[in-house]
Amino acid sequence: MNDLSFNNLKKGFYLLGKNFLFYISRKINYPLAPPDTLQLNINFNCNLRCVMCHMDKKKVLVKKELTLEDLEAFVVQAKKMGIKNVLILGGEPFLWRDLFKLIVFCNEEGLDTTVITNGVLLNQNMIKKIIQSKLPHIHISLDGATSETHDIIRGKGVFNKAVNNIQLLNAYKAKNNTQFPTIGTTFTIMKHNFHELSEVVKLAQKLGIDGLNFQPVVIDNTEPRLRSKSSSVWIEDDDLNKLDTVIDKLIELKKQSRENYVFIENTVSNLNLIRKYFKRMLSPKAQPCYAGFNRLHVTQIGTSYLCDVSFGDLKKRTLKEIWFSKEAKEQRKKIKNCQTPCMQFCSYRSEFYMVKNQLGKIFVRK
């Protein structure tokens, strides 16, 4: 066995060992390990109106969003719980005035931070601040390999802005001799764009993106359990055979090289489940759900939530108190018995996928 294979096996076994407590936690319905990630939903404001997003309708219900001081307190509490990662999203995080102060604070606390953005606002001034803040990771949405497709979903001119800003960010990284922030991207699969899966992989690699994952669309991202046959974003029955062909091609592309195998972050089994998801043939038990164990969510108004149920006032109780509360225990039980097939990334642990990809790429020859 060569050094590459040995190192992959070593990393794989390390991740398996780390994941064991999460597996047992789900079995006994009690968290034996701290969640991987503190997810901070910092605002509802967004500069786009994407066809699959309904976040703007929630904005009218909010009188006051969280302050920087509130969020910093949650970060300190999360660190004390043993949480290692922070995920910042909105809305559009770069519309929030104190974003960079929050990023710097997370860095000072030693937490690995990722910001999810549509990429439109990343002009030269914003990118300079990103580099100066030492943000570890940024995730930029790409929902098409062409402007025609992407802009149908996210708005006129958005594709060119996002692509140009990714290139600009990479140019500033090179100028400052830094590999950070790493750049990831998510492609939300839906009726408008499923035909461009392989093409967006090639585009992302050309743009110097570090990794790409595919997320099947939900009918309403504010109510993830909602299912409707009349949705304008769901892949139509007449196109499901085409979806099979497209996913076959994507899996073939993943297996072409070790680099591709890791670059496309979805596992082969996950990509195959996407077929069943859109055909409405996916079993609720096909993919174990770790919601309630893997992430501690904080909403824009200062409540916690597991899956789509909000509970617990974080201005009156600590993160730890809510995490181990009776309400959380009951919600974990409901999640475990949930009968709604789901493939949202908040439902699984990324490190389980890392194990499969690190071990799987050993058997890729190139």
Side-chain angles (χ1 to χ4, degrees):
M1 182 181 294
N2 59 39
D3 290 341
L4 178 61
S5 297
F6 176 76
N7 288 334
N8 288 336
L9 278 173
K10 185 178 179 181
K11 186 174 183 179
F13 284 121
Y14 165 77
L15 291 173
L16 280 171
K18 185 179 178 183
N19 293 337
F20 180 70
L21 282 178
F22 280 90
Y23 174 80
I24 298 299
S25 295
R26 185 173 180 273
K27 288 291 184 182
I28 66 174
N29 197 41
Y30 184 85
L32 298 174
D36 297 309
T37 301
L38 172 67
Q39 178 173 318
L40 298 176
N41 297 64
I42 62 174
N43 65 343
F44 284 109
N45 290 338
C46 189
N47 52 321
L48 302 182
R49 292 295 180 267
C50 303
V51 297
M52 69 292 193
C53 183
H54 301 83
M55 193 65 70
D56 58 304
K57 74 180 183 182
K58 295 289 186 179
K59 181 181 176 181
V60 297
L61 304 176
V62 179
K63 295 180 180 180
K64 185 179 180 181
E65 293 178 347
L66 295 173
T67 66
L68 174 63
E69 291 73 23
D70 293 330
L71 293 166
E72 287 179 342
F74 299 149
V75 170
V76 171
Q77 291 176 36
K79 180 181 178 181
K80 289 180 179 178
M81 289 178 64
I83 295 173
K84 304 296 185 184
N85 306 290
V86 175
L87 181 64
I88 301 173
L89 62 160
E92 170 51 50
F94 285 97
L95 287 173
W96 193 60
R97 64 180 182 180
D98 289 323
L99 175 63
F100 291 105
K101 292 180 181 178
L102 180 60
I103 292 170
V104 170
F105 185 82
C106 291
N107 288 342
E108 290 174 346
E109 292 298 315
L111 299 182
D112 198 32
T113 305
T114 302
V115 174
I116 296 180
T117 174
N118 57 46
V120 172
L121 301 176
L122 304 187
N123 55 31
Q124 290 190 34
N125 182 54
M126 196 72 79
I127 289 174
K128 287 180 182 178
K129 291 181 179 179
I130 290 172
I131 300 295
Q132 291 168 357
S133 72
K134 301 186 186 302
L135 173 67
H137 314 289
I138 192 168
H139 225 78
I140 300 173
S141 300
L142 276 179
D143 290 326
T146 62
S147 59
E148 291 80 7
T149 299
H150 188 82
D151 289 358
I152 288 174
I153 297 166
R154 293 188 170 263
K156 186 176 180 180
V158 172
F159 177 81
N160 287 335
K161 289 179 181 177
V163 167
N164 290 340
N165 290 342
I166 290 169
Q167 292 172 326
L168 185 62
L169 176 55
N170 273 325
Y172 269 84
K173 285 169 60 177
K175 181 180 178 181
N176 288 272
N177 193 29
T178 179
Q179 59 180 322
F180 297 107
T182 64
I183 305 173
T185 192
T186 295
F187 182 104
T188 303
I189 304 174
M190 64 187 82
K191 170 184 176 180
H192 308 76
N193 64 6
F194 75 92
H195 57 286
E196 291 186 354
L197 303 191
S198 294
E199 287 74 15
V200 81
V201 173
K202 297 170 185 176
L203 172 65
Q205 290 173 326
K206 182 180 178 181
L207 290 173
I209 288 171
D210 297 291
L212 166 67
N213 59 56
F214 293 94
Q215 169 74 68
V217 73
V218 291
I219 304 304
D220 185 337
N221 62 340
T222 65
E223 298 180 30
R225 295 188 188 185
L226 181 66
R227 297 291 182 268
S228 171
K229 290 188 176 181
S230 60
S231 168
S232 62
V233 294
W234 199 265
I235 297 176
E236 296 178 355
D237 291 347
D238 290 344
D239 287 328
L240 292 175
N241 286 336
K242 294 179 183 177
L243 175 65
D244 281 335
T245 301
V246 168
I247 289 181
D248 285 341
K249 185 178 178 182
L250 180 61
I251 292 173
E252 182 181 345
L253 182 61
K254 180 179 175 72
K255 293 180 177 180
Q256 274 186 4
S257 66
R258 291 192 176 105
E259 290 75 17
N260 281 6
Y261 206 90
V262 175
F263 183 82
I264 300 171
E265 295 171 355
N266 305 68
T267 63
V268 172
S269 60
N270 177 266
L271 293 174
N272 280 317
L273 288 177
I274 290 174
R275 313 172 194 260
K276 293 184 177 182
Y277 175 80
F278 281 109
K279 294 176 182 178
R280 303 180 190 276
M281 296 171 57
L282 183 65
S283 166
K285 306 301 181 184
Q287 183 169 266
C289 179
Y290 281 85
F293 297 98
N294 58 350
R295 293 189 191 183
L296 205 169
H297 298 252
V298 175
T299 70
Q300 292 90 334
I301 58 174
T303 59
S304 181
Y305 73 93
L306 299 180
C307 198
D308 60 346
V309 176
S310 179
F311 65 93
D313 187 344
L314 288 167
K315 293 189 177 182
K316 296 180 180 179
R317 303 160 74 185
T318 66
L319 292 175
K320 186 175 182 179
E321 287 171 343
I322 288 177
W323 187 246
F324 290 100
S325 68
K326 181 179 178 181
E327 301 100 307
K329 181 179 180 180
E330 290 300 315
Q331 183 58 16
R332 289 187 185 102
K333 188 182 298 183
K334 291 178 181 178
I335 291 170
K336 190 172 182 179
N337 295 322
C338 176
Q339 295 302 304
T340 303
C342 178
M343 294 194 66
Q344 295 301 291
F345 284 117
C346 56
S347 70
Y348 69 82
R349 297 190 63 246
S350 60
E351 288 188 353
F352 282 142
Y353 278 26
M354 288 172 62
V355 169
K356 290 185 177 181
N357 279 333
Q358 290 297 328
L359 294 177
K361 77 173 186 179
I362 296 172
F363 302 99
V364 178
R365 293 184 178 180
K366 295 181 181 180

